[in-house]
Amino acid sequence: MTNPATYLDPAEEKMELAVAYLDESLAHIRAGKANPKILDGIRVDYYGSQAPISNVANISVPDARTIVITPWEKSMFREIEKAIINSELGITPENNGEVIRLAIPPLTEDRRKQLVKQSKAEAEQAKVSVRNARRDAIEGLKKAVKQGMSEDVQKDAEGDVQKLHDKYLKKIDEIFVAKEKEILTV
């Protein structure tokens, strides 16, 4: 007889990964406050290979509206500036020869709505992943009945899968609501 945990555990793991991915992707959406994570996706040319800015410079946040980047090598100033300008960040870097400053402008109402929409799309994508994990687990349980699992055990396991599904959808909604509040707070 097949154990229901062989279907429940991978489903829960996939759901957990969907929530973690959502958390990570929402961290990259800027909400009007300086957050060094917005630079994570930007790569610079470092001796022929692409490296994250954090690997070639020190990044700090002295106040809520400024990110300061201190390159470890003088030659990296131009590369970092070029990478930031070419990114989708929409912020022009200021270079004084010592550090590169990024002044985070306050968000306009339209931009806030756009960011909420983007966050909602990310949350919806995470929900789809959770639903897919639930579907896969239920399909596996139905196949297990044909292999000798009792229908009572299968129905109980399906109920457990549904509870996991509901729990992770609730987590996704909570994460989205928190991000939406962060974006809309002026």
Side-chain angles (χ1 to χ4, degrees), residues 126-155:
K127 286 181 179 182
V128 168
S129 296
V130 169
R131 290 183 192 118
N132 287 342
R134 174 189 61 180
R135 185 196 63 224
D136 294 345
I138 289 175
E139 284 175 4
L141 288 166
K142 285 182 180 172
K143 286 178 186 168
V145 168
K146 293 175 185 163
Q147 297 169 355
M149 180 189 284
S150 77
E151 286 187 21
D152 289 345
V153 172
Q154 180 238 349
K155 290 290 179 198

PDB file of all heavy atoms in Angstrom, residues 126-155:
ATOM      1  N   ALA A 126       2.123  32.873  -7.920  1.00  0.00           N
ATOM      2  CA  ALA A 126       2.408  31.976  -6.792  1.00  0.00           C
ATOM      3  C   ALA A 126       1.184  31.107  -6.483  1.00  0.00           C
ATOM      4  O   ALA A 126       1.315  29.913  -6.189  1.00  0.00           O
ATOM      5  CB  ALA A 126       2.813  32.782  -5.562  1.00  0.00           C
ATOM      6  N   LYS A 127      -0.011  31.691  -6.574  1.00  0.00           N
ATOM      7  CA  LYS A 127      -1.233  30.925  -6.330  1.00  0.00           C
ATOM      8  C   LYS A 127      -1.384  29.808  -7.365  1.00  0.00           C
ATOM      9  O   LYS A 127      -1.799  28.692  -7.027  1.00  0.00           O
ATOM     10  CB  LYS A 127      -2.464  31.837  -6.375  1.00  0.00           C
ATOM     11  CG  LYS A 127      -2.612  32.716  -5.153  1.00  0.00           C
ATOM     12  CD  LYS A 127      -3.854  33.566  -5.271  1.00  0.00           C
ATOM     13  CE  LYS A 127      -4.052  34.439  -4.049  1.00  0.00           C
ATOM     14  NZ  LYS A 127      -5.293  35.236  -4.137  1.00  0.00           N
ATOM     15  N   VAL A 128      -1.055  30.104  -8.611  1.00  0.00           N
ATOM     16  CA  VAL A 128      -1.135  29.090  -9.663  1.00  0.00           C
ATOM     17  C   VAL A 128      -0.183  27.932  -9.344  1.00  0.00           C
ATOM     18  O   VAL A 128      -0.540  26.759  -9.494  1.00  0.00           O
ATOM     19  CB  VAL A 128      -0.827  29.703 -11.053  1.00  0.00           C
ATOM     20  CG1 VAL A 128      -0.607  28.629 -12.099  1.00  0.00           C
ATOM     21  CG2 VAL A 128      -1.951  30.635 -11.475  1.00  0.00           C
ATOM     22  N   SER A 129       1.007  28.256  -8.860  1.00  0.00           N
ATOM     23  CA  SER A 129       1.969  27.206  -8.491  1.00  0.00           C
ATOM     24  C   SER A 129       1.421  26.329  -7.363  1.00  0.00           C
ATOM     25  O   SER A 129       1.575  25.103  -7.386  1.00  0.00           O
ATOM     26  CB  SER A 129       3.297  27.830  -8.044  1.00  0.00           C
ATOM     27  OG  SER A 129       3.894  28.523  -9.100  1.00  0.00           O
ATOM     28  N   VAL A 130       0.789  26.961  -6.386  1.00  0.00           N
ATOM     29  CA  VAL A 130       0.202  26.211  -5.269  1.00  0.00           C
ATOM     30  C   VAL A 130      -0.924  25.310  -5.776  1.00  0.00           C
ATOM     31  O   VAL A 130      -1.019  24.138  -5.397  1.00  0.00           O
ATOM     32  CB  VAL A 130      -0.307  27.182  -4.173  1.00  0.00           C
ATOM     33  CG1 VAL A 130      -1.155  26.447  -3.138  1.00  0.00           C
ATOM     34  CG2 VAL A 130       0.869  27.861  -3.483  1.00  0.00           C
ATOM     35  N   ARG A 131      -1.762  25.850  -6.669  1.00  0.00           N
ATOM     36  CA  ARG A 131      -2.867  25.040  -7.224  1.00  0.00           C
ATOM     37  C   ARG A 131      -2.326  23.859  -8.029  1.00  0.00           C
ATOM     38  O   ARG A 131      -2.883  22.767  -7.977  1.00  0.00           O
ATOM     39  CB  ARG A 131      -3.770  25.909  -8.099  1.00  0.00           C
ATOM     40  CG  ARG A 131      -4.582  26.904  -7.304  1.00  0.00           C
ATOM     41  CD  ARG A 131      -5.517  27.709  -8.203  1.00  0.00           C
ATOM     42  NE  ARG A 131      -6.054  28.818  -7.466  1.00  0.00           N
ATOM     43  CZ  ARG A 131      -5.855  30.100  -7.768  1.00  0.00           C
ATOM     44  NH1 ARG A 131      -5.130  30.424  -8.819  1.00  0.00           N
ATOM     45  NH2 ARG A 131      -6.374  31.045  -7.033  1.00  0.00           N
ATOM     46  N   ASN A 132      -1.245  24.097  -8.774  1.00  0.00           N
ATOM     47  CA  ASN A 132      -0.644  23.004  -9.550  1.00  0.00           C
ATOM     48  C   ASN A 132      -0.105  21.914  -8.632  1.00  0.00           C
ATOM     49  O   ASN A 132      -0.240  20.719  -8.935  1.00  0.00           O
ATOM     50  CB  ASN A 132       0.475  23.533 -10.452  1.00  0.00           C
ATOM     51  CG  ASN A 132      -0.067  24.321 -11.625  1.00  0.00           C
ATOM     52  OD1 ASN A 132      -1.237  24.228 -11.973  1.00  0.00           O
ATOM     53  ND2 ASN A 132       0.793  25.120 -12.235  1.00  0.00           N
ATOM     54  N   ALA A 133       0.500  22.313  -7.521  1.00  0.00           N
ATOM     55  CA  ALA A 133       1.019  21.329  -6.560  1.00  0.00           C
ATOM     56  C   ALA A 133      -0.132  20.507  -5.983  1.00  0.00           C
ATOM     57  O   ALA A 133      -0.020  19.285  -5.828  1.00  0.00           O
ATOM     58  CB  ALA A 133       1.790  22.040  -5.450  1.00  0.00           C
ATOM     59  N   ARG A 134      -1.259  21.185  -5.699  1.00  0.00           N
ATOM     60  CA  ARG A 134      -2.435  20.469  -5.171  1.00  0.00           C
ATOM     61  C   ARG A 134      -2.948  19.478  -6.216  1.00  0.00           C
ATOM     62  O   ARG A 134      -3.219  18.320  -5.917  1.00  0.00           O
ATOM     63  CB  ARG A 134      -3.539  21.460  -4.807  1.00  0.00           C
ATOM     64  CG  ARG A 134      -4.841  20.759  -4.380  1.00  0.00           C
ATOM     65  CD  ARG A 134      -6.012  21.676  -4.216  1.00  0.00           C
ATOM     66  NE  ARG A 134      -6.306  22.338  -5.473  1.00  0.00           N
ATOM     67  CZ  ARG A 134      -7.292  23.213  -5.635  1.00  0.00           C
ATOM     68  NH1 ARG A 134      -8.057  23.541  -4.618  1.00  0.00           N
ATOM     69  NH2 ARG A 134      -7.511  23.779  -6.787  1.00  0.00           N
ATOM     70  N   ARG A 135      -3.068  19.927  -7.462  1.00  0.00           N
ATOM     71  CA  ARG A 135      -3.568  19.066  -8.538  1.00  0.00           C
ATOM     72  C   ARG A 135      -2.677  17.828  -8.702  1.00  0.00           C
ATOM     73  O   ARG A 135      -3.163  16.708  -8.801  1.00  0.00           O
ATOM     74  CB  ARG A 135      -3.628  19.852  -9.851  1.00  0.00           C
ATOM     75  CG  ARG A 135      -4.252  19.059 -10.996  1.00  0.00           C
ATOM     76  CD  ARG A 135      -3.972  19.648 -12.353  1.00  0.00           C
ATOM     77  NE  ARG A 135      -2.527  19.601 -12.585  1.00  0.00           N
ATOM     78  CZ  ARG A 135      -1.828  20.608 -13.088  1.00  0.00           C
ATOM     79  NH1 ARG A 135      -2.398  21.730 -13.398  1.00  0.00           N
ATOM     80  NH2 ARG A 135      -0.522  20.478 -13.274  1.00  0.00           N
ATOM     81  N   ASP A 136      -1.351  18.053  -8.711  1.00  0.00           N
ATOM     82  CA  ASP A 136      -0.421  16.924  -8.861  1.00  0.00           C
ATOM     83  C   ASP A 136      -0.575  15.910  -7.730  1.00  0.00           C
ATOM     84  O   ASP A 136      -0.552  14.699  -7.950  1.00  0.00           O
ATOM     85  CB  ASP A 136       1.030  17.421  -8.912  1.00  0.00           C
ATOM     86  CG  ASP A 136       1.324  18.246 -10.165  1.00  0.00           C
ATOM     87  OD1 ASP A 136       0.502  18.195 -11.120  1.00  0.00           O
ATOM     88  OD2 ASP A 136       2.360  18.937 -10.185  1.00  0.00           O
ATOM     89  N   ALA A 137      -0.727  16.414  -6.498  1.00  0.00           N
ATOM     90  CA  ALA A 137      -0.871  15.519  -5.340  1.00  0.00           C
ATOM     91  C   ALA A 137      -2.163  14.712  -5.441  1.00  0.00           C
ATOM     92  O   ALA A 137      -2.175  13.502  -5.191  1.00  0.00           O
ATOM     93  CB  ALA A 137      -0.836  16.328  -4.050  1.00  0.00           C
ATOM     94  N   ILE A 138      -3.257  15.371  -5.831  1.00  0.00           N
ATOM     95  CA  ILE A 138      -4.542  14.673  -5.926  1.00  0.00           C
ATOM     96  C   ILE A 138      -4.508  13.625  -7.038  1.00  0.00           C
ATOM     97  O   ILE A 138      -5.008  12.509  -6.873  1.00  0.00           O
ATOM     98  CB  ILE A 138      -5.701  15.686  -6.113  1.00  0.00           C
ATOM     99  CG1 ILE A 138      -5.905  16.447  -4.787  1.00  0.00           C
ATOM    100  CG2 ILE A 138      -6.986  14.988  -6.541  1.00  0.00           C
ATOM    101  CD1 ILE A 138      -6.920  17.554  -4.833  1.00  0.00           C
ATOM    102  N   GLU A 139      -3.884  13.972  -8.172  1.00  0.00           N
ATOM    103  CA  GLU A 139      -3.746  12.993  -9.257  1.00  0.00           C
ATOM    104  C   GLU A 139      -2.930  11.779  -8.788  1.00  0.00           C
ATOM    105  O   GLU A 139      -3.266  10.635  -9.099  1.00  0.00           O
ATOM    106  CB  GLU A 139      -3.086  13.635 -10.483  1.00  0.00           C
ATOM    107  CG  GLU A 139      -4.015  14.531 -11.265  1.00  0.00           C
ATOM    108  CD  GLU A 139      -3.309  15.259 -12.406  1.00  0.00           C
ATOM    109  OE1 GLU A 139      -2.101  15.025 -12.656  1.00  0.00           O
ATOM    110  OE2 GLU A 139      -3.976  16.087 -13.050  1.00  0.00           O
ATOM    111  N   GLY A 140      -1.851  12.051  -8.042  1.00  0.00           N
ATOM    112  CA  GLY A 140      -1.028  10.963  -7.512  1.00  0.00           C
ATOM    113  C   GLY A 140      -1.815  10.069  -6.567  1.00  0.00           C
ATOM    114  O   GLY A 140      -1.690   8.837  -6.595  1.00  0.00           O
ATOM    115  N   LEU A 141      -2.653  10.696  -5.737  1.00  0.00           N
ATOM    116  CA  LEU A 141      -3.470   9.920  -4.796  1.00  0.00           C
ATOM    117  C   LEU A 141      -4.488   9.052  -5.537  1.00  0.00           C
ATOM    118  O   LEU A 141      -4.745   7.908  -5.150  1.00  0.00           O
ATOM    119  CB  LEU A 141      -4.177  10.858  -3.811  1.00  0.00           C
ATOM    120  CG  LEU A 141      -3.273  11.510  -2.764  1.00  0.00           C
ATOM    121  CD1 LEU A 141      -3.993  12.656  -2.071  1.00  0.00           C
ATOM    122  CD2 LEU A 141      -2.803  10.485  -1.752  1.00  0.00           C
ATOM    123  N   LYS A 142      -5.067   9.576  -6.615  1.00  0.00           N
ATOM    124  CA  LYS A 142      -6.046   8.797  -7.386  1.00  0.00           C
ATOM    125  C   LYS A 142      -5.373   7.590  -8.048  1.00  0.00           C
ATOM    126  O   LYS A 142      -5.956   6.507  -8.126  1.00  0.00           O
ATOM    127  CB  LYS A 142      -6.718   9.684  -8.428  1.00  0.00           C
ATOM    128  CG  LYS A 142      -7.731  10.628  -7.798  1.00  0.00           C
ATOM    129  CD  LYS A 142      -8.435  11.488  -8.799  1.00  0.00           C
ATOM    130  CE  LYS A 142      -9.428  12.403  -8.065  1.00  0.00           C
ATOM    131  NZ  LYS A 142     -10.015  13.392  -8.928  1.00  0.00           N
ATOM    132  N   LYS A 143      -4.128   7.793  -8.500  1.00  0.00           N
ATOM    133  CA  LYS A 143      -3.378   6.671  -9.089  1.00  0.00           C
ATOM    134  C   LYS A 143      -3.042   5.638  -8.011  1.00  0.00           C
ATOM    135  O   LYS A 143      -3.004   4.437  -8.274  1.00  0.00           O
ATOM    136  CB  LYS A 143      -2.096   7.169  -9.759  1.00  0.00           C
ATOM    137  CG  LYS A 143      -2.341   7.888 -11.066  1.00  0.00           C
ATOM    138  CD  LYS A 143      -1.052   8.393 -11.666  1.00  0.00           C
ATOM    139  CE  LYS A 143      -1.332   9.244 -12.893  1.00  0.00           C
ATOM    140  NZ  LYS A 143      -0.136   9.969 -13.335  1.00  0.00           N
ATOM    141  N   ALA A 144      -2.800   6.128  -6.789  1.00  0.00           N
ATOM    142  CA  ALA A 144      -2.436   5.231  -5.688  1.00  0.00           C
ATOM    143  C   ALA A 144      -3.600   4.304  -5.327  1.00  0.00           C
ATOM    144  O   ALA A 144      -3.386   3.169  -4.877  1.00  0.00           O
ATOM    145  CB  ALA A 144      -1.991   6.034  -4.476  1.00  0.00           C
ATOM    146  N   VAL A 145      -4.841   4.780  -5.515  1.00  0.00           N
ATOM    147  CA  VAL A 145      -6.009   3.939  -5.236  1.00  0.00           C
ATOM    148  C   VAL A 145      -5.974   2.726  -6.153  1.00  0.00           C
ATOM    149  O   VAL A 145      -6.269   1.599  -5.731  1.00  0.00           O
ATOM    150  CB  VAL A 145      -7.325   4.739  -5.417  1.00  0.00           C
ATOM    151  CG1 VAL A 145      -8.535   3.822  -5.422  1.00  0.00           C
ATOM    152  CG2 VAL A 145      -7.451   5.774  -4.319  1.00  0.00           C
ATOM    153  N   LYS A 146      -5.592   2.945  -7.405  1.00  0.00           N
ATOM    154  CA  LYS A 146      -5.501   1.840  -8.369  1.00  0.00           C
ATOM    155  C   LYS A 146      -4.387   0.867  -7.990  1.00  0.00           C
ATOM    156  O   LYS A 146      -4.407  -0.293  -8.389  1.00  0.00           O
ATOM    157  CB  LYS A 146      -5.259   2.389  -9.779  1.00  0.00           C
ATOM    158  CG  LYS A 146      -6.439   3.170 -10.311  1.00  0.00           C
ATOM    159  CD  LYS A 146      -6.141   3.798 -11.649  1.00  0.00           C
ATOM    160  CE  LYS A 146      -7.310   4.662 -12.082  1.00  0.00           C
ATOM    161  NZ  LYS A 146      -6.961   5.586 -13.143  1.00  0.00           N
ATOM    162  N   GLN A 147      -3.421   1.363  -7.220  1.00  0.00           N
ATOM    163  CA  GLN A 147      -2.294   0.514  -6.805  1.00  0.00           C
ATOM    164  C   GLN A 147      -2.537  -0.115  -5.436  1.00  0.00           C
ATOM    165  O   GLN A 147      -1.623  -0.679  -4.839  1.00  0.00           O
ATOM    166  CB  GLN A 147      -1.000   1.327  -6.781  1.00  0.00           C
ATOM    167  CG  GLN A 147      -0.585   1.854  -8.139  1.00  0.00           C
ATOM    168  CD  GLN A 147       0.535   2.867  -8.059  1.00  0.00           C
ATOM    169  OE1 GLN A 147       0.958   3.261  -6.969  1.00  0.00           O
ATOM    170  NE2 GLN A 147       1.022   3.297  -9.215  1.00  0.00           N
ATOM    171  N   GLY A 148      -3.725   0.059  -4.888  1.00  0.00           N
ATOM    172  CA  GLY A 148      -4.044  -0.635  -3.647  1.00  0.00           C
ATOM    173  C   GLY A 148      -4.316   0.239  -2.442  1.00  0.00           C
ATOM    174  O   GLY A 148      -4.624  -0.275  -1.368  1.00  0.00           O
ATOM    175  N   MET A 149      -4.222   1.556  -2.542  1.00  0.00           N
ATOM    176  CA  MET A 149      -4.550   2.420  -1.398  1.00  0.00           C
ATOM    177  C   MET A 149      -6.071   2.415  -1.226  1.00  0.00           C
ATOM    178  O   MET A 149      -6.812   2.449  -2.207  1.00  0.00           O
ATOM    179  CB  MET A 149      -4.058   3.853  -1.656  1.00  0.00           C
ATOM    180  CG  MET A 149      -4.373   4.809  -0.513  1.00  0.00           C
ATOM    181  SD  MET A 149      -4.028   6.534  -0.921  1.00  0.00           S
ATOM    182  CE  MET A 149      -2.267   6.573  -0.793  1.00  0.00           C
ATOM    183  N   SER A 150      -6.529   2.393   0.019  1.00  0.00           N
ATOM    184  CA  SER A 150      -7.977   2.397   0.246  1.00  0.00           C
ATOM    185  C   SER A 150      -8.541   3.780  -0.080  1.00  0.00           C
ATOM    186  O   SER A 150      -7.862   4.797   0.066  1.00  0.00           O
ATOM    187  CB  SER A 150      -8.294   2.005   1.691  1.00  0.00           C
ATOM    188  OG  SER A 150      -8.043   3.088   2.554  1.00  0.00           O
ATOM    189  N   GLU A 151      -9.801   3.799  -0.510  1.00  0.00           N
ATOM    190  CA  GLU A 151     -10.427   5.064  -0.894  1.00  0.00           C
ATOM    191  C   GLU A 151     -10.601   5.992   0.298  1.00  0.00           C
ATOM    192  O   GLU A 151     -10.557   7.210   0.145  1.00  0.00           O
ATOM    193  CB  GLU A 151     -11.764   4.809  -1.589  1.00  0.00           C
ATOM    194  CG  GLU A 151     -11.576   4.281  -3.000  1.00  0.00           C
ATOM    195  CD  GLU A 151     -12.875   4.183  -3.771  1.00  0.00           C
ATOM    196  OE1 GLU A 151     -13.860   4.857  -3.406  1.00  0.00           O
ATOM    197  OE2 GLU A 151     -12.905   3.420  -4.751  1.00  0.00           O
ATOM    198  N   ASP A 152     -10.796   5.430   1.487  1.00  0.00           N
ATOM    199  CA  ASP A 152     -10.936   6.262   2.687  1.00  0.00           C
ATOM    200  C   ASP A 152      -9.641   7.028   2.955  1.00  0.00           C
ATOM    201  O   ASP A 152      -9.659   8.226   3.249  1.00  0.00           O
ATOM    202  CB  ASP A 152     -11.287   5.400   3.912  1.00  0.00           C
ATOM    203  CG  ASP A 152     -12.712   4.868   3.851  1.00  0.00           C
ATOM    204  OD1 ASP A 152     -13.495   5.396   3.035  1.00  0.00           O
ATOM    205  OD2 ASP A 152     -13.015   3.928   4.624  1.00  0.00           O
ATOM    206  N   VAL A 153      -8.514   6.334   2.850  1.00  0.00           N
ATOM    207  CA  VAL A 153      -7.205   6.964   3.060  1.00  0.00           C
ATOM    208  C   VAL A 153      -6.981   8.047   1.997  1.00  0.00           C
ATOM    209  O   VAL A 153      -6.507   9.147   2.293  1.00  0.00           O
ATOM    210  CB  VAL A 153      -6.069   5.906   3.027  1.00  0.00           C
ATOM    211  CG1 VAL A 153      -4.707   6.568   3.037  1.00  0.00           C
ATOM    212  CG2 VAL A 153      -6.206   4.945   4.200  1.00  0.00           C
ATOM    213  N   GLN A 154      -7.380   7.721   0.766  1.00  0.00           N
ATOM    214  CA  GLN A 154      -7.207   8.688  -0.326  1.00  0.00           C
ATOM    215  C   GLN A 154      -8.041   9.944  -0.072  1.00  0.00           C
ATOM    216  O   GLN A 154      -7.556  11.060  -0.244  1.00  0.00           O
ATOM    217  CB  GLN A 154      -7.621   8.040  -1.657  1.00  0.00           C
ATOM    218  CG  GLN A 154      -7.472   8.949  -2.855  1.00  0.00           C
ATOM    219  CD  GLN A 154      -8.757   9.161  -3.632  1.00  0.00           C
ATOM    220  OE1 GLN A 154      -9.759   8.478  -3.419  1.00  0.00           O
ATOM    221  NE2 GLN A 154      -8.722  10.119  -4.523  1.00  0.00           N
ATOM    222  N   LYS A 155      -9.295   9.782   0.342  1.00  0.00           N
ATOM    223  CA  LYS A 155     -10.176  10.941   0.605  1.00  0.00           C
ATOM    224  C   LYS A 155      -9.621  11.787   1.755  1.00  0.00           C
ATOM    225  O   LYS A 155      -9.644  13.014   1.697  1.00  0.00           O
ATOM    226  CB  LYS A 155     -11.604  10.485   0.930  1.00  0.00           C
ATOM    227  CG  LYS A 155     -12.346   9.919  -0.243  1.00  0.00           C
ATOM    228  CD  LYS A 155     -12.687  10.994  -1.246  1.00  0.00           C
ATOM    229  CE  LYS A 155     -13.415  10.396  -2.440  1.00  0.00           C
ATOM    230  NZ  LYS A 155     -13.401  11.278  -3.593  1.00  0.00           N
TER     231      LYS A 155
END
